[in-house]
Amino acid sequence: MRAVNCDCKVLENIRLNDTICMLKAEWTDQEHAPKAGQFYMLRCWRQDEAPLLSRPISVHEWDEAANTVTFLYEVRGEGTQKIAALKAGELLNLTGPAGNGWPVDQLLGKKVALVGGGIGTAPLYQLAKELAAKGEKPSYFAGFRDEPYRMEAFEPFCACTALATDSGRFGYHGLVTELFDAKEYDVICCCGPTPMMKAVTKLALEAGTEILVSLENKMACGIGACLGCTCHTKKSGAISVCKQGPVLKGEDVYG
Ligand code: FES
């Protein structure tokens, strides 16, 4: 499906903590409805204004009935600072939905674990929702440096949720990889920092469990035109993460 570009009305833009924000915007183009794991390129500044590039942000939630798309994002630099400053009623330029997304239908009937780290938990929420809507309840394991966010939002859509933090102030004191036994699952869907995704891929492959990872490479165009997001895979050689990904088989990227 071709990505489309439009100016969308911001309905809500709230701060969950010092660096994490959640923005809800109108998306009325049902023909181009986003799927779990896809992303948009976000921009709220002129083409001749800095920063040069739009910001790729994954879909946290798509509400078909309300025609809204929600982004959970970390404020990291100039672009995300500008997005975080948007107020309800202002316009946000969206290009998308882009990328392949999670293969939800292929997960049905399987025991699925969602494993996320930090802001990498964002694209797992819509996946949990879509699986639950089809009668499947995945297990959710999340790791954060310190204070977690959106844990409770996953609960209605998951068979269980578990939390690990580096600080030990919340949940289990340790790594998210210590929360689950990969052997107990048919498939693990993972998104987070690269060392975490590598570690989860290793555990999954040792256990003979299917592993899907969602990459967060830097992106320029977001539509497969600039080669700015190239990743070398075992099976297909160099691919564009924005077009053939961001969801890829773990063994193809890290195996
Ligand atoms: Fe341009 Fe992927 S960001 S090809």
XYZ file of all heavy atoms in Angstrom, residues 21-103:
655
model
N 6.345 11.345 25.496
C 5.085 12.026 25.198
C 4.177 11.113 24.387
O 4.641 10.141 23.765
C 5.332 13.293 24.381
S 6.263 14.552 25.241
N 2.906 11.452 24.373
C 1.933 10.677 23.608
C 1.036 11.658 22.859
O 0.412 12.528 23.462
C 1.117 9.796 24.551
C 0.375 8.707 23.827
S -0.098 7.357 24.926
C -1.400 8.119 25.847
N 1.022 11.511 21.537
C 0.270 12.439 20.690
C -0.801 11.686 19.921
O -0.523 10.656 19.297
C 1.232 13.130 19.709
C 0.634 14.162 18.759
C 1.678 15.239 18.445
C 0.113 13.570 17.466
N -2.015 12.207 19.981
C -3.123 11.614 19.220
C -3.522 12.596 18.121
O -3.725 13.785 18.380
C -4.309 11.361 20.152
C -5.452 10.627 19.468
C -6.644 10.490 20.388
C -6.441 9.403 21.416
N -7.659 9.161 22.207
N -3.609 12.087 16.881
C -3.982 12.945 15.750
C -5.124 12.307 14.971
O -5.311 11.087 15.011
C -2.785 13.152 14.829
N -5.832 13.145 14.255
C -6.902 12.635 13.388
C -6.288 11.927 12.185
O -5.324 12.442 11.597
C -7.698 13.833 12.843
C -9.082 13.929 13.384
C -9.807 15.162 12.861
O -9.374 15.780 11.877
O -10.818 15.496 13.491
N -6.826 10.771 11.825
C -6.413 10.108 10.576
C -7.687 9.536 9.964
O -8.165 8.479 10.393
C -5.383 9.015 10.838
C -4.913 8.368 9.556
C -5.350 7.198 9.018
C -3.926 8.880 8.646
N -4.700 6.943 7.833
C -3.818 7.962 7.572
C -3.134 10.028 8.614
C -2.954 8.157 6.502
C -2.264 10.206 7.549
C -2.172 9.280 6.512
N -8.244 10.250 9.014
C -9.570 9.877 8.509
C -9.505 9.015 7.255
O -10.534 8.566 6.766
C -10.396 11.151 8.194
O -9.623 11.961 7.311
C -10.711 11.942 9.446
N -8.294 8.763 6.740
C -8.146 8.011 5.497
C -8.221 6.507 5.776
O -7.204 5.832 5.921
C -6.800 8.385 4.849
C -6.665 7.809 3.458
O -7.446 6.903 3.112
O -5.771 8.253 2.729
N -9.447 5.973 5.844
C -9.626 4.552 6.185
C -9.025 3.641 5.118
O -8.667 2.504 5.396
C -11.121 4.240 6.335
C -11.772 4.927 7.512
C -11.748 4.074 8.782
O -11.408 2.914 8.746
N -12.107 4.681 9.902
N -8.923 4.136 3.892
C -8.327 3.335 2.815
C -6.841 3.078 3.093
O -6.270 2.106 2.636
C -8.434 4.125 1.510
C -9.161 3.385 0.412
C -9.170 4.227 -0.834
O -8.198 4.162 -1.595
O -10.156 4.981 -0.991
N -6.233 3.998 3.813
C -4.825 3.865 4.186
C -4.711 3.750 5.709
O -3.937 4.463 6.343
C -4.008 5.055 3.677
C -3.956 5.132 2.193
N -4.893 5.807 1.446
C -3.099 4.563 1.307
C -4.599 5.664 0.161
N -3.526 4.917 0.055
N -5.483 2.841 6.265
C -5.448 2.639 7.719
C -4.130 1.961 8.098
O -3.680 1.053 7.401
C -6.620 1.763 8.133
N -3.495 2.397 9.187
C -2.228 1.774 9.586
C -2.438 0.403 10.227
O -3.477 0.143 10.844
C -1.670 2.760 10.610
C -2.867 3.454 11.163
C -3.889 3.500 10.069
N -1.412 -0.457 10.067
C -1.424 -1.768 10.725
C -0.374 -1.755 11.835
O 0.582 -0.973 11.788
C -1.037 -2.854 9.717
C -2.067 -3.079 8.624
C -1.691 -4.282 7.777
C -0.351 -4.081 7.120
N 0.134 -5.086 6.246
N -0.542 -2.649 12.782
C 0.423 -2.754 13.883
C 1.832 -2.937 13.336
O 2.053 -3.780 12.465
C 0.057 -3.940 14.771
N 2.768 -2.143 13.839
C 4.163 -2.272 13.431
C 4.553 -1.321 12.313
O 5.739 -1.180 12.018
N 3.569 -0.680 11.680
C 3.915 0.311 10.656
C 4.291 1.637 11.336
O 4.102 1.797 12.551
C 2.739 0.518 9.706
C 2.509 -0.677 8.788
C 1.541 -0.341 7.674
O 0.383 -0.036 7.919
N 2.016 -0.391 6.454
N 4.788 2.565 10.559
C 5.192 3.853 11.134
C 4.810 4.989 10.194
O 4.418 4.761 9.034
C 6.709 3.862 11.413
C 7.553 3.827 10.169
C 8.016 4.993 9.591
C 7.872 2.619 9.565
C 8.772 4.959 8.420
C 8.638 2.574 8.400
C 9.083 3.742 7.829
N 4.931 6.193 10.687
C 4.723 7.402 9.880
C 5.972 8.272 9.982
O 6.710 8.202 10.974
C 3.552 8.233 10.408
C 2.177 7.694 10.103
C 1.622 6.685 10.878
C 1.427 8.215 9.053
C 0.353 6.197 10.607
C 0.149 7.739 8.782
C -0.385 6.727 9.561
O -1.635 6.260 9.290
N 6.167 9.139 8.985
C 7.163 10.196 9.078
C 6.409 11.430 9.580
O 5.405 11.839 8.962
C 7.801 10.483 7.722
C 8.540 9.297 7.101
S 9.926 8.662 8.080
C 11.171 9.921 7.792
N 6.852 12.017 10.686
C 6.162 13.158 11.298
C 6.966 14.443 11.068
O 8.201 14.434 11.180
C 6.009 12.953 12.808
C 4.852 12.081 13.303
C 5.000 10.634 12.865
C 4.744 12.155 14.818
N 6.240 15.504 10.804
C 6.893 16.799 10.601
C 5.920 17.911 10.962
O 4.737 17.841 10.596
C 7.293 16.923 9.123
C 8.180 18.090 8.824
C 8.608 18.117 7.355
N 9.625 19.134 7.177
C 10.923 18.914 7.162
N 11.389 17.690 7.265
N 11.777 19.917 7.044
N 6.384 18.934 11.674
C 5.504 20.069 11.967
C 6.280 21.367 11.776
O 6.052 22.343 12.454
C 4.922 19.970 13.382
S 6.169 19.927 14.665
N 7.246 21.329 10.862
C 8.025 22.511 10.538
C 8.188 22.556 9.020
O 8.011 21.537 8.345
C 9.392 22.487 11.244
C 10.200 21.236 11.029
C 11.174 21.040 10.104
C 10.099 19.997 11.754
N 11.689 19.772 10.191
C 11.043 19.109 11.203
C 9.302 19.549 12.830
C 11.209 17.807 11.665
C 9.474 18.248 13.288
C 10.416 17.398 12.724
N 8.505 23.759 8.484
C 8.583 23.937 7.033
C 9.719 23.115 6.425
O 10.685 22.775 7.109
C 8.802 25.424 6.711
C 7.598 26.319 7.021
C 7.769 27.675 6.328
N 9.145 28.156 6.334
C 9.636 29.059 7.185
N 8.854 29.593 8.090
N 10.908 29.441 7.119
N 9.625 22.851 5.125
C 10.645 22.054 4.438
C 12.016 22.727 4.499
O 13.040 22.056 4.526
C 10.251 21.825 2.963
C 9.064 20.888 2.769
C 9.294 19.473 3.297
O 10.419 18.997 3.372
N 8.222 18.801 3.690
N 12.025 24.083 4.524
C 13.319 24.782 4.531
C 13.791 25.086 5.963
O 14.758 25.790 6.173
C 13.232 26.079 3.707
C 12.162 27.034 4.242
O 11.425 26.640 5.166
O 12.074 28.164 3.734
N 13.092 24.533 6.947
C 13.474 24.757 8.346
C 14.199 23.534 8.903
O 13.948 22.411 8.445
C 12.190 24.935 9.170
C 11.987 26.304 9.776
C 10.737 26.297 10.614
O 9.631 26.351 10.040
O 10.857 26.195 11.831
N 15.064 23.747 9.890
C 15.748 22.629 10.541
C 14.794 21.972 11.556
O 13.926 22.668 12.090
C 16.985 23.138 11.261
N 14.974 20.698 11.797
C 15.920 19.791 11.164
C 15.459 19.401 9.761
O 14.266 19.493 9.451
C 15.926 18.584 12.102
C 14.573 18.576 12.737
C 14.180 20.019 12.859
N 16.424 18.964 8.978
C 16.142 18.637 7.584
C 15.121 17.491 7.470
O 14.194 17.541 6.665
C 17.476 18.237 6.928
C 17.439 17.859 5.463
C 17.052 19.065 4.620
C 18.822 17.352 5.033
N 15.329 16.484 8.281
C 14.542 15.255 8.109
C 13.312 15.196 9.011
O 13.341 15.653 10.161
C 15.425 14.034 8.419
C 16.719 13.931 7.598
C 17.542 12.745 8.079
C 16.409 13.823 6.113
N 12.250 14.582 8.473
C 11.071 14.286 9.292
C 11.444 13.173 10.266
O 12.464 12.512 10.101
C 9.923 13.825 8.394
O 9.650 14.800 7.416
N 10.593 12.948 11.258
C 10.920 11.954 12.271
C 10.085 10.681 12.076
O 8.844 10.758 12.059
C 10.646 12.525 13.677
C 11.651 13.545 14.105
C 13.004 12.852 14.373
N 14.095 13.811 14.485
C 14.940 14.131 13.502
N 14.823 13.589 12.325
N 15.929 14.976 13.702
N 10.730 9.502 11.950
C 9.962 8.256 11.833
C 9.477 7.818 13.223
O 10.281 7.690 14.137
C 10.991 7.255 11.282
C 12.319 7.791 11.702
C 12.183 9.272 11.922
N 8.185 7.638 13.371
C 7.642 7.205 14.677
C 6.597 6.126 14.427
O 5.720 6.254 13.566
C 7.068 8.406 15.470
C 8.198 9.413 15.742
C 6.449 7.934 16.784
C 7.848 10.594 16.595
N 6.697 5.050 15.203
C 5.807 3.899 14.994
C 4.395 4.202 15.502
O 4.194 5.057 16.370
C 6.358 2.673 15.726
O 6.346 2.916 17.112
N 3.451 3.473 14.954
C 2.051 3.598 15.389
C 1.915 2.920 16.758
O 2.210 1.736 16.898
C 1.113 2.914 14.370
C -0.316 2.846 14.904
C 1.176 3.644 13.038
N 1.489 3.668 17.734
C 1.232 3.083 19.060
C -0.192 2.539 19.101
O -0.436 1.457 19.614
C 1.423 4.169 20.120
C 1.230 3.678 21.520
N 1.946 2.637 22.045
C 0.379 4.094 22.511
C 1.560 2.422 23.302
N 0.613 3.291 23.602
N -1.117 3.302 18.526
C -2.510 2.849 18.502
C -3.237 3.445 17.306
O -3.055 4.622 16.967
C -3.229 3.274 19.785
C -4.657 2.757 19.821
C -5.395 3.066 21.119
O -4.927 3.933 21.883
O -6.430 2.435 21.346
N -4.047 2.608 16.701
C -4.929 3.075 15.625
C -6.347 2.785 16.091
O -6.678 1.633 16.410
C -4.594 2.325 14.331
C -5.693 2.237 13.312
C -6.278 1.080 12.843
C -6.346 3.313 12.616
N -7.237 1.372 11.919
C -7.300 2.737 11.751
C -6.218 4.701 12.647
C -8.120 3.506 10.927
C -7.032 5.459 11.831
C -7.959 4.873 10.983
N -7.176 3.813 16.170
C -8.561 3.640 16.588
C -9.440 3.861 15.361
O -9.676 4.996 14.940
C -8.886 4.645 17.701
C -10.262 4.400 18.306
O -11.153 3.908 17.565
O -10.448 4.695 19.495
N -9.901 2.744 14.817
C -10.651 2.775 13.567
C -11.982 3.504 13.726
O -12.410 4.245 12.838
C -10.886 1.328 13.123
C -11.372 1.204 11.722
C -11.461 -0.251 11.288
O -11.159 -1.155 12.087
O -11.866 -0.456 10.139
N -12.631 3.307 14.887
C -13.944 3.917 15.102
C -13.822 5.435 15.266
O -14.669 6.199 14.808
C -14.602 3.302 16.329
N -12.740 5.859 15.925
C -12.574 7.296 16.193
C -11.764 8.003 15.110
O -11.631 9.227 15.142
C -11.892 7.485 17.545
N -11.194 7.231 14.163
C -10.326 7.811 13.122
C -9.146 8.561 13.732
O -8.849 9.700 13.371
C -11.108 8.788 12.230
C -11.951 8.058 11.219
O -11.537 7.033 10.700
N -13.127 8.578 10.945
N -8.476 7.913 14.670
C -7.314 8.568 15.286
C -6.105 7.636 15.286
O -6.243 6.417 15.395
C -7.593 8.985 16.755
O -7.935 7.826 17.513
C -8.709 10.008 16.849
N -4.942 8.236 15.162
C -3.701 7.477 15.292
C -2.905 8.118 16.431
O -2.869 9.335 16.576
C -2.916 7.469 13.948
C -2.550 8.852 13.473
C -1.679 6.597 14.040
N -2.334 7.249 17.286
C -1.598 7.747 18.446
C -0.136 7.326 18.355
O 0.171 6.191 17.977
C -2.225 7.195 19.752
O -3.578 7.643 19.814
C -1.495 7.680 20.995
N 0.739 8.255 18.690
C 2.182 7.997 18.696
C 2.700 8.169 20.125
O 2.419 9.166 20.775
C 2.917 8.994 17.793
C 2.446 8.957 16.359
C 1.489 9.870 15.902
C 2.922 8.000 15.483
C 1.042 9.837 14.585
C 2.485 7.954 14.166
C 1.536 8.874 13.718
N 3.461 7.169 20.575
C 4.162 7.274 21.853
C 5.619 7.508 21.471
O 6.196 6.709 20.738
C 4.005 5.946 22.601
C 4.644 5.825 23.978
C 3.950 6.739 24.981
C 4.556 4.379 24.471
N 6.216 8.616 21.920
C 7.552 8.939 21.417
C 8.435 9.556 22.488
O 7.948 10.092 23.491
C 7.462 9.882 20.202
C 6.801 11.220 20.491
C 7.564 12.377 20.673
C 5.420 11.332 20.602
C 6.976 13.596 20.949
C 4.817 12.553 20.880
C 5.601 13.675 21.050
O 5.003 14.879 21.330
N 9.725 9.431 22.235
C 10.711 9.972 23.166
C 11.244 11.286 22.607
O 11.585 11.361 21.419
C 11.857 8.962 23.311
C 12.858 9.348 24.351
C 13.764 8.171 24.730
O 13.972 7.282 23.898
O 14.256 8.184 25.870
N 11.331 12.294 23.438
C 11.862 13.587 22.995
C 13.387 13.503 23.075
O 13.966 13.438 24.154
C 11.318 14.738 23.869
C 11.845 16.084 23.380
C 9.796 14.729 23.849
N 14.020 13.444 21.880
C 15.462 13.185 21.823
C 16.239 14.334 21.215
O 17.424 14.475 21.441
C 15.745 11.965 20.956
C 15.462 10.642 21.626
C 15.776 9.505 20.678
N 15.485 8.222 21.288
C 15.281 7.114 20.606
N 15.325 7.109 19.300
N 15.016 5.984 21.236
N 15.616 15.108 20.342
C 16.351 16.168 19.629
C 15.395 17.249 19.163
O 14.246 17.332 19.604
N 15.883 18.049 18.224
C 15.134 19.222 17.778
C 13.759 18.854 17.191
O 12.752 19.505 17.468
C 15.980 19.955 16.726
C 15.608 21.396 16.562
C 16.479 22.080 15.511
O 17.461 21.468 15.029
O 16.140 23.235 15.179
N 13.739 17.812 16.366
C 12.484 17.428 15.711
C 11.428 17.000 16.713
O 10.282 17.487 16.690
N 11.795 16.114 17.610
C 10.808 15.632 18.587
C 10.452 16.726 19.602
O 9.342 16.734 20.139
C 11.293 14.343 19.285
O 12.670 14.476 19.605
C 11.059 13.118 18.421
N 11.374 17.679 19.819
C 11.027 18.814 20.700
C 9.922 19.648 20.051
O 8.986 20.086 20.717
C 12.248 19.693 20.939
C 13.074 19.237 22.124
C 14.450 19.870 22.145
O 14.686 20.893 21.494
N 15.354 19.259 22.869
N 10.030 19.833 18.741
C 9.002 20.606 18.030
C 7.674 19.855 18.042
O 6.611 20.454 18.197
C 9.456 20.898 16.597
C 10.541 21.945 16.543
C 10.949 22.301 15.129
C 11.931 23.470 15.173
N 12.462 23.832 13.880
N 7.733 18.552 17.887
C 6.492 17.759 17.912
C 5.874 17.817 19.319
O 4.666 17.965 19.479
C 6.780 16.296 17.475
C 7.197 16.277 15.994
C 5.565 15.397 17.697
C 7.808 14.975 15.521
N 6.723 17.750 20.333
C 6.229 17.775 21.719
C 5.577 19.114 22.072
O 4.751 19.192 22.983
C 7.369 17.479 22.687
N 5.944 20.169 21.339
C 5.391 21.503 21.635
C 4.034 21.728 20.963
O 3.379 22.753 21.219
C 6.386 22.577 21.173
N 3.618 20.778 20.105
C 2.329 20.953 19.414
C 1.165 20.939 20.396
O 1.153 20.160 21.348
C 2.126 19.815 18.398
C 2.906 19.908 17.091
C 2.767 18.603 16.323
C 2.411 21.084 16.256
N 0.178 21.775 20.108
C -1.015 21.844 20.970
C -2.208 21.274 20.215
O -2.209 21.244 18.984
C -1.333 23.305 21.315
C -0.181 24.066 21.913
C -0.425 24.292 23.384
C 0.694 25.015 24.085
N 2.053 24.650 23.786
N -3.227 20.864 20.969
C -4.465 20.380 20.341
C -4.983 21.437 19.382
O -4.977 22.634 19.704
C -5.502 20.072 21.414
N -5.394 21.008 18.192
C -5.920 21.936 17.189
C -4.883 22.325 16.150
O -5.229 22.745 15.053
N -3.588 22.166 16.480
C -2.534 22.486 15.501
C -2.369 21.317 14.533
O -2.876 20.218 14.768
C -1.223 22.792 16.230
C -1.315 24.090 17.026
C -0.010 24.517 17.669
O 0.658 23.662 18.292
O 0.320 25.705 17.558
N -1.618 21.587 13.436
C -1.483 20.558 12.397
C -0.136 19.855 12.460
O 0.895 20.474 12.755
C -1.665 21.187 11.012
C -3.070 21.704 10.695
C -3.100 22.331 9.293
C -4.132 20.605 10.809
N -0.196 18.577 12.181
C 0.999 17.740 12.125
C 0.996 17.080 10.754
O -0.014 16.506 10.347
C 0.905 16.666 13.227
C 1.947 15.554 13.218
C 3.334 16.109 13.527
C 1.584 14.491 14.262
N 2.108 17.171 10.041
C 2.175 16.537 8.724
C 2.598 15.071 8.884
O 3.624 14.770 9.495
C 3.160 17.287 7.823
C 3.146 16.699 6.423
O 3.940 15.828 6.097
N 2.207 17.143 5.613
N 1.794 14.179 8.345
C 2.067 12.737 8.439
C 2.257 12.148 7.049
O 1.438 12.403 6.154
C 0.885 12.013 9.112
C 0.574 12.359 10.561
C -0.627 11.546 11.045
C 1.779 12.057 11.451
N 3.312 11.347 6.877
C 3.495 10.556 5.659
C 3.492 9.092 6.089
O 4.322 8.675 6.900
C 4.830 10.889 4.966
O 4.861 12.286 4.697
C 4.966 10.121 3.667
N 2.557 8.345 5.532
C 2.455 6.943 5.938
C 1.090 6.386 5.597
O 0.349 7.017 4.835
N 0.686 5.273 6.134
C 1.525 4.394 6.949
C 2.591 3.732 6.091
O 2.357 3.426 4.932
C 0.530 3.368 7.506
C -0.629 3.396 6.566
C -0.685 4.749 5.969
N 3.782 3.528 6.686
C 4.916 2.986 5.943
C 5.438 1.718 6.617
O 5.202 1.484 7.808
C 6.018 4.041 5.885
N 6.157 0.924 5.836
C 6.768 -0.301 6.371
C 5.822 -1.481 6.322
O 4.652 -1.359 5.931
N 6.351 -2.649 6.713
C 5.565 -3.886 6.562
C 4.670 -4.206 7.768
O 3.608 -4.784 7.607
C 6.502 -5.076 6.276
C 7.516 -5.305 7.398
O 7.572 -4.536 8.359
N 8.311 -6.353 7.292
N 5.072 -3.853 8.959
C 4.268 -4.177 10.141
C 4.418 -5.627 10.573
O 5.090 -6.430 9.921
N 3.791 -5.961 11.715
C 3.831 -7.331 12.256
C 2.887 -8.212 11.438
O 1.788 -7.761 11.115
C 3.383 -7.357 13.717
C 4.132 -6.449 14.634
C 3.722 -5.250 15.112
C 5.438 -6.675 15.207
N 4.688 -4.711 15.936
C 5.738 -5.558 16.019
C 6.361 -7.715 15.110
C 6.923 -5.455 16.730
C 7.552 -7.610 15.823
C 7.828 -6.500 16.621
N 3.251 -9.453 11.160
C 2.369 -10.335 10.376
C 1.286 -10.954 11.274
O 1.344 -12.142 11.611
C 3.343 -11.397 9.845
C 4.408 -11.472 10.894
C 4.523 -10.114 11.521
